[in-house]
Amino acid sequence: MFSKTCEYAIRATVLIAMEGRHGRRMSLVEIARSTGSPQAFTAKVLQQLARSGILDSTKGARGGFDLPPAKAKKVKLNMVVKAIDGDHVYKGCGMGLPQCNARKPCPLHDHFQQVRDDLRHMLESTDVHTLSLGLERGTTYLKR
Amino acid sequence: MFSKTCEYAIRATVLIAMEGRHGRRMSLVEIARSTGSPQAFTAKVLQQLARSGILDSTKGARGGFDLPPAKAKKVKLNMVVKAIDGDHVYKGCGMGLPQCNARKPCPLHDHFQQVRDDLRHMLESTDVHTLSLGLERGTTYLKR
DNA sequence: TGGAAATCGGACAAGAATGTCCTAATATTG
DNA sequence: CAATATTAGGACATTCTTGTCCGATTTCCA
């Protein structure tokens, strides 16, 4: 569904949001460890998220990544997905046609419509702050 | 959503089903041309589908691939997807956790549930024969 | 003010997905 | 039976994704 890179991005963002609730900032090392993601690669992903304005990053000693609650409430999943994978997932054609729309639909177009709309709606209405709550309560998990 | 390979597979299968309605068999060359897919690669995809029992293939001159209507009605999209991509799309975890289930869910698990169920249901209830009808009527298309 | 701790970013490496090419096998047809 | 048309399948090539490494830069702190 999403690229592996995007999965790392989502995991990291939710985790950082959880720490952000306590005003804490996380280092790359902690993030990679807690999400079970390869460190160097995660660094790239975090950079992308920071450049996209989704995360705040601070360089230098005691630096790291953070996402304060106020901001986390405004960061919807679709922003993360879009920053990494683009919006192809919930906009592109299920059969891969470059131009597929209501006027010239692929055979799957109508059947896919609802699924895609559902997905898009879910991604647009789910914010990172909400997702971080379960993590904190211990009712959801980031590593197997 | 699906791999490119899987997209080719779906396109080809629907096309072949359309021809199958007239008792016709299609050659690789025709299939690749009509779906706008690379020929040699499409050959591999068709082989996979034939080996999976989704298509019937005939070797030799006047050979090709075919899918008679009776069979096309029984071939659901999920079979094609499963044969090529596996069932990861509508079974795997949205955040990529190897073990994610109701007992130990990822933060997205519940939010994803509905989308995945929708997708699974759509794939399981849509058969290739039905999809081929629109193509034949000219209300749906396989190439941009 | 210098060393340590951290992100940034570019270059490179490994692996997976996609795509091509060639030969073998098989069936049809003249 | 020979020539031709076609799928089967292995080996290889290319491109994209995923992943590593290293030096530069920035910031903190003793």
Side-chain angles (χ1 to χ4, degrees), chain B residues 27-28 44 47 51 57-58 61:
Chain B
S27 77
L28 166 63
K44 302 296 188 191
Q47 271 174 51
R51 264 185 265 128
S57 81
T58 315

Side-chain angles (χ1 to χ4, degrees), chain B residues 112-128:
Chain B
F112 243 102
Q113 195 68 54
Q114 162 144 29
V115 175
R116 263 203 323 240
D117 284 355
D118 261 24
L119 178 59
R120 190 169 47 75
H121 178 262
M122 187 275 274
L123 294 174
E124 283 173 356
S125 64
T126 307
D127 67 89
V128 167

Side-chain angles (χ1 to χ4, degrees), chain A residues 96-117:
Chain A
L97 303 195
Q99 288 172 325
C100 166
N101 50 54
R103 288 240 320 276
K104 213 173 173 189
C106 77
L108 258 169
H109 190 78
D110 292 343
H111 298 77
F112 243 103
Q113 195 68 52
Q114 162 145 28
V115 176
R116 264 204 323 239
D117 284 354

Side-chain angles (χ1 to χ4, degrees), chain B:
Chain B
M1 182 89 77
F2 305 128
S3 71
K4 224 164 170 181
T5 309
C6 191
E7 291 172 354
Y8 292 150
I10 298 173
R11 289 196 237 165
T13 306
V14 175
L15 174 69
I16 296 166
M18 179 182 80
E19 287 299 297
R21 283 169 35 84
H22 306 290
R24 288 197 291 261
R25 179 183 291 163
M26 293 192 85
S27 77
L28 166 63
V29 176
E30 294 175 285
I31 294 166
R33 189 174 38 72
S34 304
T35 57
S37 323
Q39 197 177 108
F41 191 70
T42 302
K44 302 296 188 191
V45 177
L46 294 171
Q47 271 174 51
Q48 256 186 280
L49 292 172
R51 264 185 265 128
S52 311
I54 289 171
L55 297 178
D56 298 337
S57 81
T58 315
K59 294 175 77 168
R62 306 288 306 164
F65 299 86
D66 85 308
L67 183 49
K71 192 169 179 182
K73 285 177 189 163
K74 287 187 285 188
V75 175
K76 310 296 183 186
L77 269 186
N78 76 306
M79 300 183 198
V80 178
V81 172
K82 196 167 180 176
I84 305 291
D85 280 352
D87 49 16
H88 180 272
V89 205
Y90 49 98
K91 293 211 172 151
C93 165
M95 295 177 68
L97 303 195
Q99 288 173 326
C100 167
N101 50 55
R103 288 240 321 273
K104 213 172 173 190
C106 78
L108 257 169
H109 190 79
D110 292 342
H111 299 76
F112 243 102
Q113 195 68 54
Q114 162 144 29
V115 175
R116 263 203 323 240
D117 284 355
D118 261 24
L119 178 59
R120 190 169 47 75
H121 178 262
M122 187 275 274
L123 294 174
E124 283 173 356
S125 64
T126 307
D127 67 89
V128 167
H129 176 262
T130 303
L131 293 178
S132 74
L133 295 179
L135 250 197
E136 178 134 62
R137 274 201 303 270
T139 55
T140 62
Y141 304 83
L142 275 186
K143 290 172 65 176
R144 44 195 166 121

